[in-house]
Amino acid sequence: MKKFDAIVIGSGQAGAPLAKKLALAGMKTVIIEKRFYGGTCVNDGCTPTKTWVASAKAAYMAGKSVDLGVPVKKFGINMPKIKKRKDDIVMQSRIGGQHAAEKVKGLDVVFGEATFTGEKTVSVKLKNGKKQNIQADLIFLNVGAKPFIPEIEGLNEIKYLTSTTILDLDYVPEHLLVLGGNYIGLEFGQMFRRFGSKVTILEKSARIVSREDEDISAEMQTILEAEQISVLTHAQATKFKQKAGGKITATVSVNGEEKKVRCSHVLVAVGRTPQTDKLGLDKAGVKTDDKGNIKVNAKLETNVKGIYALGDVNGGPAFTHISYNDYTIVYRNLIEKQSLSTTDRLVPYCMFTDPQLGRVGIDETEAKKQGLDYKVAKLPMAHVARAIETGDTRGFMKAIVDAKTKRILGATVLGPEGGEIMTVLQMAMEGGITYDEVRYFIFAHPLYSESLNNLFLALED
Ligand SMILES: Cc1cc2nc3c(=O)[nH]c(=O)nc-3n(C[C@H](O)[C@H](O)[C@H](O)COP(=O)(O)OP(=O)(O)OC[C@H]3O[C@@H](n4cnc5c(N)ncnc54)[C@H](O)[C@@H]3O)c2cc1C
């Protein structure tokens, strides 16, 4: 049994930086990774998808170029090249992160699958088939999540795609049927439409991006439909059938009516599930909820003292920046002796459709639910000088403010650079800057953020 001060399982957006910093702080640390260094964000999530979003945008702009007086007469999609560009960027990040970790004194990087054998003991099935038993008083779980596959008749008999396997395609599917109208499904759906696929999106709720306000969902649907993406809501696939090597027929219930959709490929994007099933958590006595998420307190410690769970696996908001923030909380509490917690942290996020959907704080639905005394400021992108000049006036900005204190409580920006504009409002929220102050700020002209003046000028005092 090899002894360490700290064991980190999973090299995601919390585990990788935490392992390095613990070793640099003088703790003998081991990080175990069963697949690729860097986890989901680097290998199957943010990095690869955003490189493809960039390629898809180039295709979209080529198609639109005539509107800007620069007609591109003919353009094509070179999918092997698009894939290679993505693979190169992913490899750079994966290998860069791995090599940096391997150079840290006091840090062992081990490739293999870790499972608990006792409360503070772990067995690692190494890539060469051998086993290594290790022990530490401090254990950090950053094992992430994987695509959730629903039980639908015939689904396992077709070669369906997930957000991971779709990234291996080096050709453009003829007709992509996407199960799920949330951020992963919509990002892939729009990008493959732009690469030339026919795309149908099925969403079982009444609207896509259903955790956002209704007007946001409606505008998003209009934007996607303008690109000839077929969006079916109240829609659930109930059965799949595939002719030998041929087309797939999906039976779909839309508003209770049965419909057949014939497609060439199916992408399953209906959520993610924590990778805790093979971790042997029962051996350590670590508790999970009914979905398999590891239960943690506000300081990210599990019910077992000294065992922490960070990132997607603790069931918090599943974003890279939240996983990273989990790491800073745990590290600063342990090493810098602070008392930080997840309570009341702002959770910004951005969906990288084009245009982007940036969101922070509460929306109108939440303000209503909480019975707050609030006002709503809304500005269509069609009234934003920068958007008009750039030729993209899709979407709108929306902010919720406290009627009395004038504090900004939340913002959703669906529009070009929506994530960046949202971040400006996030800074105001973090700094306690009120909307009547933002109204008269001097912003450089003509930036998108300049229109934050107008967003709040529309509000009566
Ligand atoms: C298609 C897609 C697009 C996304 N886009 C964005 C985006 O634009 N912005 C954003 O903020 N978020 C995005 N996300 C979410 C984001 O990728 C995750 O929230 C983020 O990577 C945090 O993951 P994590 O740190 O919890 O763990 P992960 O990054 O998932 O890492 C967990 C690691 O643990 C390893 N592991 C698991 N079990 C074991 C074991 N028993 N032994 C050893 N190793 C193990 C896994 O192999 C994996 O490498 C996206 C996700 C997907 C799927």
Side-chain angles (χ1 to χ4, degrees), residues 97-203:
Q98 183 182 325
H99 285 175
E102 283 165 347
K103 281 192 196 131
V104 176
K105 221 174 133 221
L107 176 62
D108 283 12
V109 179
V110 172
F111 284 94
E113 184 160 5
T115 42
F116 279 97
T117 48
E119 190 174 295
K120 296 290 173 74
T121 53
V122 168
S123 164
V124 186
K125 195 172 160 210
L126 300 169
K127 292 258 159 152
N128 61 12
K130 288 192 179 146
K131 277 204 172 157
Q132 189 177 332
N133 293 315
I134 52 177
Q135 191 262 321
D137 284 341
L138 285 172
I139 300 184
F140 305 92
L141 306 172
N142 179 224
V143 293
K146 60 185 174 193
F148 172 74
I149 308 301
E151 274 185 30
I152 303 174
E153 191 185 333
L155 183 60
N156 282 326
E157 275 86 69
I158 64 167
K159 269 198 188 155
Y160 63 83
L161 299 164
T162 65
S163 62
T164 306
T165 58
I166 198 171
L167 292 165
D168 293 331
L169 294 188
D170 59 2
Y171 61 91
V172 178
E174 188 193 322
H175 181 179
L176 181 65
L177 177 68
V178 181
L179 310 189
N182 221 316
Y183 81 96
I184 293 180
L186 298 190
E187 285 183 13
F188 277 117
Q190 187 185 40
M191 82 175 79
F192 274 95
R193 175 72 200 118
R194 290 175 170 195
F195 291 155
S197 298
K198 185 178 170 188
V199 172
T200 304
I201 293 170
L202 302 186
E203 169 53 52

Side-chain angles (χ1 to χ4, degrees), residues 247-378:
K247 281 259 165 80
I248 298 165
T249 303
T251 307
V252 182
S253 158
V254 186
N255 277 312
E257 263 180 48
E258 199 175 281
K259 224 178 131 136
K260 302 273 182 211
V261 179
R262 259 171 275 281
C263 60
S264 59
H265 293 73
V266 174
L267 168 66
V268 181
V270 294
R272 291 173 63 77
T273 184
Q275 303 206 76
T276 46
D277 46 338
K278 294 186 195 137
L279 208 49
L281 289 172
D282 50 324
K283 298 266 177 13
V286 172
K287 287 195 181 132
T288 58
D289 66 15
D290 54 358
K291 291 193 177 118
N293 297 306
I294 298 174
K295 287 187 184 173
V296 289
N297 62 21
K299 291 199 158 85
L300 300 160
E301 195 168 20
T302 67
N303 60 301
V304 178
K305 203 169 160 16
I307 302 184
Y308 294 77
L310 305 88
D312 293 3
V313 77
N314 65 28
F319 300 109
T320 280
H321 43 281
I322 295 303
S323 181
Y324 188 84
N325 184 249
D326 284 358
Y327 136 65
T328 61
I329 290 173
V330 168
Y331 174 78
R332 293 169 72 194
N333 285 347
L334 281 172
I335 305 297
E336 295 173 4
K337 305 292 170 215
Q338 307 227 22
S339 184
L340 302 162
S341 84
T342 55
T343 311
D344 293 335
R345 67 178 165 186
L346 268 183
V347 178
Y349 55 85
C350 182
M351 176 170 79
F352 289 84
T353 45
D354 176 35
Q356 295 170 2
L357 169 67
R359 161 89 188 270
V360 63
I362 61 165
D363 61 4
E364 196 176 353
T365 313
E366 187 58 32
K368 240 182 236 157
K369 206 167 113 193
Q370 290 183 23
L372 301 178
D373 184 9
Y374 68 94
K375 290 192 217 176
V376 180
K378 204 166 161 179

Side-chain angles (χ1 to χ4, degrees), residues 86-108:
K86 181 263 297 174
D87 289 342
D88 289 348
I89 293 170
V90 167
M91 282 311 275
Q92 205 180 350
S93 201
R94 178 194 304 171
I95 300 302
Q98 183 182 325
H99 285 175
E102 283 165 347
K103 281 192 196 131
V104 176
K105 221 174 133 221
L107 176 62
D108 283 12

Side-chain angles (χ1 to χ4, degrees), residues 47-68:
T47 305
T49 53
K50 271 76 237 183
T51 68
W52 276 10
V53 162
S55 297
K57 175 84 181 192
Y60 177 73
M61 290 312 290
K64 280 256 161 210
S65 59
V66 69
D67 298 348
L68 296 169

